[in-house]
Amino acid sequence: MSSNSRRNSKETLKHLAQYFEECTGLTAVHGVQYIGDRKRTWFERLIWAVIVTTSVSVCTKFVLQTYHKWQNAPVYVTIGTALVPIHDIAFPAITICPETKSNSSVYYYPDWIGRAFDKDVEISRVDRLKFEYISMICNRTYASSNFTQQKFDADIHNFLYNITPRFEDTFTNCQFANLVENCSEIFTPIFTREGVCYTFNALDRSKLFQKDVYQFSDFHQLRKKMISPYPRRAVSSGVTGGLQVELRAFVKDMDYRCATALQGFKIIVHDSSELPTQTHNYLRVPLNQAVFAALSPEVISTKKNLESYSADLRQCYFDEEKDLSHFRYYSRSNCEVECLGYLMENILGCLDFYLPRANISTPICGATQLEHIRMIERILATYISNTTSLNSRLEELLLKLIFDVAQSEELVEKSATICNCLPSCSSVEYSFETTQSDYYWYYFEGHKEYKDREYRSLINIHFKDAYYIPMQREEMFNIHFKAYAYYIPMQREEMFGSMDFIAYTGGLLGLFIGFSFISLAEIIYFLTLRIVCNAKLFGRKMWYGNPNC
């Protein structure tokens, strides 16, 4: 290096040092002026450099923690203090599934189970087909090697419907809001995993499903034109303000081989816009028992200003964010049904008999597929319970099954999208408390002679309180995806907005280093405008400032 180059380098370093001293001497950031003050000792300047560096490091750590919290947990749910009457929300849909699967005079499962599984006994193809039909709603734990049918056609629906105990024999008395109702007009038949069930206060199939979804007979169809508003609402709390149904089962129809040792009725409580599934809250009503269930609604909505956050951050979908193929309204439950159907159709080439299907020609899974169906259901349950690593977890579980059935990366990727079933941003759930007692119906009605040949059960479902606690009382508005209006008792809000982040960060910067907006402006000034102005005032070579100062 030449002597001129060394001289120029020394001059540049000297000018930088001079400019740094001027900058630190004028800045409003506390402590920095002592570092650049050449009149102080090196020890003092070193101590202040350590102090300022430590403060900046600690402040940076806290700011990064705040930023991480802002990015990863920006939403929280609060509970309000105002009271909202329960008639401002819809009464839930109530689905009743008898544990008795068949009318013994039409088809008695115990008579056929031994013959069907005995290799030395020959039965006709029609009888074997009927047995495999009913095996789809009976105990599904029997080995699939005992069955022969891989696919069913739509006849399974006719068979299951025809062997089900007659509706008028099962439902003997219905009341809503203390008014007697015709049970056949307020309940509609539907297919669930339990077989034929009956649902009250659910949306009509024209509003629940997309137009191209295949419908069996009059299932999911309201029996009469309901008065507005619908779904129904409770006008009061307590046992007189809810739904009360008396149910009957006959001794001759009891079948402990098809179902389980738990006889009676399964009651599923769900939203009117949802298909009842195993994931919903349900309760059991034993035979000759009266069960009273007091409901507490848990309603959550989300403010529109959270639309700027991703669904994964706010942990919910707005109704326009995720469309479903078979349902008109998004909910986590409906999404899970579609996910289950997609996995079955693309892995097994068929659907379980109760799942919605857009094409009537889509095969129904036969009894030989029960083992694979159970595996897919376990995959879905495991996937949903591991929401921290959705895609990788689903891929791992799917591949265990796909390698035995089919291999498709596209299936894994699309399944991860379809099966990402976050809650709806506006949803309602129902928790309940139950009480139970013996039901001496035969004494009350004076029919002791019926005691030994039939059972009666009573279920009463009502709101526990006349009011519930909302987070915020707002003007009632129509939530499109639910097809009815809500007052909002709980609501997702921002944990940290942009202004909250700025205020929090500014507080930390001010606390540790006395930094403010003016301090930032000074730094920018010294790095840009002051250099330009110095060059203009003193010449380009004097960019570092007045040499006489």
Side-chain angles (χ1 to χ4, degrees):
M1 181 181 294
S2 65
S3 58
N4 288 334
S5 298
R6 285 195 297 269
R7 190 181 311 111
N8 290 336
S9 298
K10 289 181 180 180
E11 288 292 323
T12 301
L13 291 174
K14 179 181 177 182
H15 297 159
L16 285 174
Q18 183 178 349
Y19 189 72
F20 177 74
E21 182 180 6
E22 182 182 10
C23 175
T24 56
L26 296 177
T27 183
V29 178
H30 301 312
V32 176
Q33 64 268 32
Y34 303 114
I35 300 174
D37 189 355
R38 287 190 292 181
K39 296 178 182 179
R40 313 311 303 170
T41 66
W42 278 104
F43 179 75
E44 289 178 274
R45 296 166 71 183
L46 178 62
I47 290 296
W48 274 108
V50 171
I51 292 173
V52 171
T53 302
T54 302
S55 295
V56 170
S57 300
V58 173
C59 181
T60 300
K61 177 182 177 182
F62 287 167
V63 168
L64 290 176
Q65 288 179 351
T66 303
Y67 180 78
H68 179 77
K69 189 174 183 180
W70 178 37
Q71 290 298 308
N72 292 280
V75 178
Y76 68 106
V77 178
T78 61
I79 300 177
T81 57
L83 295 175
V84 175
I86 50 95
H87 63 71
D88 285 333
I89 63 171
F91 195 79
I94 309 297
T95 297
I96 300 177
C97 300
E99 294 289 0
T100 302
K101 304 302 182 184
S102 64
N103 184 335
S104 60
S105 61
V106 179
Y107 192 94
Y108 193 51
Y109 182 77
D111 288 345
W112 290 96
I113 186 170
R115 299 169 64 184
F117 289 160
D118 189 342
K119 296 181 180 179
D120 296 329
V121 177
E122 291 188 8
I123 61 176
S124 68
R125 181 182 178 279
V126 173
D127 289 334
R128 176 166 291 281
L129 188 60
K130 290 180 179 180
F131 177 78
E132 295 192 18
Y133 282 161
I134 197 173
S135 295
M136 299 300 291
I137 61 173
C138 287
N139 194 332
R140 288 190 170 199
T141 59
Y142 289 118
S144 58
S145 59
N146 294 317
F147 301 113
T148 62
Q149 295 295 315
Q150 284 195 334
K151 304 287 172 56
F152 292 143
D153 56 28
D155 285 343
I156 185 176
H157 293 136
N158 291 307
F159 175 79
L160 295 179
Y161 181 53
N162 290 332
I163 66 170
T164 300
R166 295 191 306 171
F167 177 86
E168 56 270 22
D169 290 337
T170 303
F171 290 75
T172 61
N173 182 271
C174 298
Q175 297 180 33
F176 183 74
N178 215 27
L179 297 175
V180 177
E181 302 265 8
N182 186 334
C183 296
S184 63
E185 292 183 347
I186 64 174
F187 280 90
T188 183
I190 65 172
F191 278 118
T192 73
R193 192 175 184 273
E194 302 291 324
V196 178
C197 300
Y198 302 91
T199 188
F200 163 82
N201 210 38
L203 295 181
D204 184 79
R205 65 190 189 187
S206 62
K207 295 182 179 179
L208 178 61
F209 297 104
Q210 300 287 2
K211 291 182 179 180
D212 58 351
V213 174
Y214 164 75
Q215 302 292 344
F216 172 75
S217 185
D218 61 348
F219 277 37
H220 289 285
Q221 190 171 33
L222 297 181
R223 299 300 180 88
K224 70 173 185 178
K225 185 177 181 180
M226 296 297 178
I227 59 174
S228 183
Y230 186 85
R232 297 178 184 230
R233 302 166 189 270
V235 295
S236 64
S237 60
V239 294
T240 59
L243 174 70
Q244 180 167 298
V245 182
E246 186 183 54
L247 302 163
R248 176 168 56 189
F250 293 96
V251 174
K252 67 180 181 64
D253 294 331
M254 292 296 101
D255 181 1
Y256 300 95
R257 301 292 299 276
C258 177
T260 65
L262 298 173
Q263 292 294 318
F265 303 88
K266 179 182 288 187
I267 313 297
I268 304 174
V269 181
H270 57 99
D271 189 86
S272 299
S273 64
E274 296 176 344
L275 198 66
T277 66
Q278 298 296 106
T279 61
H280 283 106
N281 286 338
Y282 71 88
L283 56 99
R284 290 185 180 274
V285 180
L287 300 173
N288 286 345
Q289 294 283 303
V291 176
F292 293 80
L295 302 178
S296 296
E298 299 172 359
V299 186
I300 301 178
S301 77
T302 304
K303 286 189 173 180
K304 282 291 185 180
N305 63 348
L306 291 182
E307 285 184 323
S308 58
Y309 292 97
S310 68
D312 290 334
L313 279 180
R314 78 174 96 90
Q315 285 296 291
C316 68
Y317 284 120
F318 284 102
D319 56 305
E320 66 275 5
E321 283 187 299
K322 191 173 178 73
D323 295 326
L324 300 180
S325 300
H326 298 131
F327 297 94
R328 288 185 178 271
Y329 307 118
Y330 177 84
S331 72
R332 180 170 187 171
S333 174
N334 288 347
C335 177
E336 290 171 3
V337 170
E338 290 216 347
C339 169
L340 184 61
Y342 178 81
L343 295 179
M344 284 189 188
E345 186 170 5
N346 286 274
I347 295 175
L348 305 180
C350 58
L351 292 173
D352 210 342
F353 74 94
Y354 67 92
L355 293 175
R357 50 197 178 126
N359 193 339
I360 191 174
S361 63
T362 302
I364 296 171
C365 295
T368 60
Q369 302 280 19
L370 282 175
E371 185 175 349
H372 280 139
I373 290 175
R374 289 196 299 270
M375 188 181 300
I376 292 175
E377 290 173 342
R378 287 197 299 271
I379 286 175
L380 180 59
T382 306
Y383 168 68
I384 290 171
S385 64
N386 288 271
T387 55
T388 54
S389 55
L390 291 176
N391 292 356
S392 60
R393 184 61 178 163
L394 180 62
E395 182 173 353
E396 174 190 345
L397 294 167
L398 271 177
L399 289 177
K400 291 180 180 179
L401 178 62
I402 293 173
F403 280 135
D404 294 332
V405 182
Q407 297 187 24
S408 171
E409 293 182 3
E410 181 182 357
L411 172 61
V412 173
E413 293 176 0
K414 193 168 182 179
S415 298
T417 301
I418 294 176
C419 296
N420 190 12
C421 297
L422 296 174
S424 171
C425 286
S426 297
S427 61
V428 57
E429 301 287 342
Y430 300 92
S431 59
F432 46 79
E433 302 172 7
T434 61
T435 57
Q436 185 174 323
S437 64
D438 293 328
Y439 185 42
Y440 298 104
W441 58 273
Y442 38 86
Y443 289 118
F444 178 74
E445 295 186 359
H447 294 300
K448 290 183 65 177
E449 65 274 15
Y450 294 157
K451 177 183 176 181
D452 296 329
R453 62 186 186 189
E454 66 182 63
Y455 301 100
R456 299 279 182 97
S457 299
L458 185 73
I459 176 66
N460 183 290
I461 300 177
H462 57 274
F463 281 120
K464 179 181 179 181
D465 299 306
Y467 295 86
Y468 61 95
I469 300 177
M471 187 208 70
Q472 179 180 346
R473 190 179 181 91
E474 297 182 345
E475 181 180 358
M476 189 168 66
F477 61 97
N478 187 273
I479 297 179
H480 173 72
F481 86 99
K482 289 296 181 188
Y484 46 86
Y486 283 137
Y487 273 116
I488 307 304
M490 300 178 69
Q491 194 159 356
R492 293 181 179 88
E493 289 189 352
E494 286 182 315
M495 175 74 79
F496 273 88
S498 56
M499 290 304 299
D500 299 307
F501 175 72
I502 293 172
Y504 200 92
T505 302
L508 290 172
L509 291 169
L511 175 64
F512 285 97
I513 57 177
F515 191 86
S516 67
F517 178 78
I518 300 299
S519 304
L520 177 63
E522 279 188 339
I523 292 174
I524 297 174
Y525 163 70
F526 272 102
L527 293 176
T528 56
L529 183 61
R530 189 177 178 89
I531 295 175
V532 174
C533 291
N534 282 344
K536 187 174 182 180
L537 289 172
F538 310 114
R540 294 184 61 183
K541 293 184 178 181
M542 299 297 177
W543 58 267
Y544 52 87
N546 188 350
N548 298 321
C549 293

